[in-house]
């Protein structure tokens, strides 16, 4: 029993000693203590002993590994002038007129599909995707895109005759 307590006591003393050393060397460690001690000694020392000289100098700063100034630098590329740039050719969007209806207020509404997307309902004076609707008539829509007039028409589409309209007899 005494042997067990003796061994535990020795282990406890060693553990406390190691913990105190860890606390002093790692937890409350101050890196500049060593520099300050050597600086104090060098100032107090007689002239025969070389004085303290800092090791971090301009040579190390100029040779910094992580500086952006080190390494290969790409030569500046020459920017093309306006005369060297190719002219920009604007291609009008692909527009399809899906239909025109007359709403309850007597305005024509056109269903226009742009670049294969879903059709949009537009009225006279509306703008969509940089395109201005100038005029909508019964079978035709006039649009303005980049100062260029575009016409969409349904004139080639055959219509179903209106059976509710009164029939007129041709005269002989």
């Amino acid at each position: 029993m005494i042997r067990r307590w003796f061994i535990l006591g020795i282990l406890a003393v060693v553990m406390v000693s190691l913990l105190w050393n860890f606390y002093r060397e790692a937890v409350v460690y101050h890196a500049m203590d060593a520099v300050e001690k050597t600086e104090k000694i060098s100032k107090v020392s007689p002239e025969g002993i070389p004085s303290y000289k800092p090791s971090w100098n301009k040579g190390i700063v100029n040779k910094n590994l992580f500086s952006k100034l080190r390494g290969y630098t790409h030569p500046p590329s020459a920017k093309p002038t306006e005369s060297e740039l190719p002219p920009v050719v604007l291609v009008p969007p692909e527009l399809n007129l899906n239909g025109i209806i007359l709403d309850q207020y007597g305005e024509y509404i056109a269903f226009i599909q742009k670049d294969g997307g879903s059709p949009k309902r537009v009225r006279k004076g509306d703008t969509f995707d940089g395109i201005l609707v100038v005029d909508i008539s019964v079978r035709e829509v006039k649009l303005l895109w980049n100062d260029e007039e575009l016409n969409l028409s349904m004139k080639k589409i055959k219509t179903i005759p209106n059976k509710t309209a009164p029939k007129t007899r041709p005269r002989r």
Side-chain angles (χ1 to χ4, degrees), residues 38-53:
T38 57
E39 189 175 331
K40 288 178 187 175
I41 292 170
S42 64
K43 287 182 181 176
V44 174
S45 65
E47 289 186 13
I49 300 173
S51 64
Y52 172 73
K53 185 176 180 184

Side-chain angles (χ1 to χ4, degrees), residues 105-165:
Y105 302 111
E107 294 179 321
Y108 287 109
I109 298 175
F111 291 91
I112 299 175
Q113 184 178 14
K114 180 183 175 194
D115 295 329
S118 61
K120 296 184 182 187
R121 297 173 54 129
V122 293
R123 292 188 171 110
K124 181 179 178 180
D126 288 350
T127 58
F128 67 99
D129 299 331
I131 301 171
L132 174 68
V133 181
V134 178
D135 187 32
I136 301 175
S137 63
V138 178
R139 311 270 298 155
E140 196 173 2
V141 177
K142 292 182 182 180
L143 305 170
L144 188 65
W145 174 78
N146 286 345
D147 298 330
E148 182 179 341
E149 190 171 310
L150 304 174
N151 291 325
L152 301 177
S153 176
M154 294 187 351
K155 290 182 180 177
K156 293 183 181 179
I157 300 173
K158 293 183 181 178
T159 59
I160 301 172
N162 192 355
K163 294 184 180 181
T164 59

Side-chain angles (χ1 to χ4, degrees), residues 5 31-32 37 50 73 81 146 156:
W5 287 108
M32 295 305 289
K37 287 179 186 175
T73 57
T81 60
N146 286 345
K156 293 183 181 179

